[in-house]
Amino acid sequence: MEGHVAGIYVPSRGSGDWRCLLADPEKHWRLGYSAVSLAESWEAAKGLPNEIGQLLSSFGSPSELLLALPEHKVPLPGSHRGHSQNDLFALIRVGDQTLAAMVEGKVDESFDKPLGEWLINASTGKRERLNFICDLLGLRQPLPHTIRYQLLHRTVSAIIEAKRFKTDMAAMFVHSFSVKRSWFADFAEFVSLFGVDAEPDRLVCVRPEHTPPLYLGWATGARAGVGATGS
C-alpha cells in the first residue's frame, strides 16, 4: 500500500473552494445534492454543525473542530488507484481527547454498490483490499452481500487516520440531509455487523476494546437552500 503524499493546505474561502476537489466538479456539484449540502453546512457552522455537535454531546464534554479537510484521500491496498476519497476528514477535540472522524455526506444518493455487486469478477487486488478492511475492522468474512462497500472503506479510513494522527478515538459519521432518512436501513445493517443497533442522531461505540475505540453515527441536517444546520 502506498503511503500518504505530504500536502500543504490553505484556508477555505467558502463552499465554492470545495468544488475543485471533487472527482467530477461538474457532475457532483449540484444544489440539493450531498456535495453542496455538506460544504454549505460546514462552512456556515464556522466549526461543527449543530447536528454533529449533538452526536458528540454523548461524551459529556465540549467539542471543538480543529481541522477539516474536504475530499480527503486515504490510501488502501489492492491497486494503483486504491484509495478512499472521503467527503470530509475532521480532526475534533472532545474534552481532553482527540477524535479522527470521516464524514460521508448524503441526500438521496445511495452508499454506492452492495458488496455482492462489487465482488463480481473481483480481482486479486479487490480481494486483498477487502481482507485488509475486514482485518482492521475486526469483521469476519464472508460478509453479507447486501452490505454497502462504501461504508466499509469510509470507516476503515477513520481508523487509518486515527492511527496516523495518534488520536484517542476514531469515528465515521453519515451527515444526512434527507428528510426521509434515505438509506438509513443500509447504514443500520452495516452497524449491526458489530452487534450494535443504530439509531438516527445517536453515536454508538461499535468497538470499545479497539485501539483506538471506533464510533459510528448518523446525523440529520438541513439540505442546502432549505435551512441552516449550524451557527
Side-chain angles (χ1 to χ4, degrees), residues 21-34:
L21 303 173
L22 294 167
D24 188 335
E26 295 300 321
K27 179 181 179 181
H28 297 151
W29 191 261
R30 290 184 288 170
L31 186 64
Y33 286 75
S34 61

Side-chain angles (χ1 to χ4, degrees), residues 52-141:
I52 300 296
Q54 285 299 313
L55 273 185
L56 297 173
S57 66
S58 61
F59 288 114
S61 299
S63 53
E64 175 192 3
L65 178 65
L66 302 176
L67 176 72
L69 302 177
E71 300 300 322
H72 183 64
K73 295 181 181 180
V74 177
L76 298 174
S79 78
H80 66 284
R81 295 179 61 238
H83 62 255
S84 179
Q85 185 162 336
N86 298 269
D87 292 344
L88 184 69
F89 168 53
L91 191 62
I92 302 168
R93 187 168 185 85
V94 182
D96 60 356
Q97 296 189 307
T98 51
L99 169 70
M102 292 301 163
V103 183
E104 179 67 17
K106 291 295 178 195
V107 181
D108 294 320
E109 307 93 334
S110 73
F111 292 105
D112 206 5
K113 296 177 181 178
L115 195 57
E117 184 178 340
W118 185 78
L119 284 171
I120 292 175
N121 299 320
S123 64
T124 301
K126 275 192 172 184
R127 296 284 182 183
E128 178 189 353
R129 198 179 320 153
L130 183 59
N131 290 338
F132 170 83
I133 289 172
C134 288
D135 285 347
L136 206 53
L137 293 180
L139 296 175
R140 185 174 298 176
Q141 298 190 65

Side-chain angles (χ1 to χ4, degrees), residues 15 178 181 187:
S15 60
S178 169
R181 294 198 177 106
F187 173 76

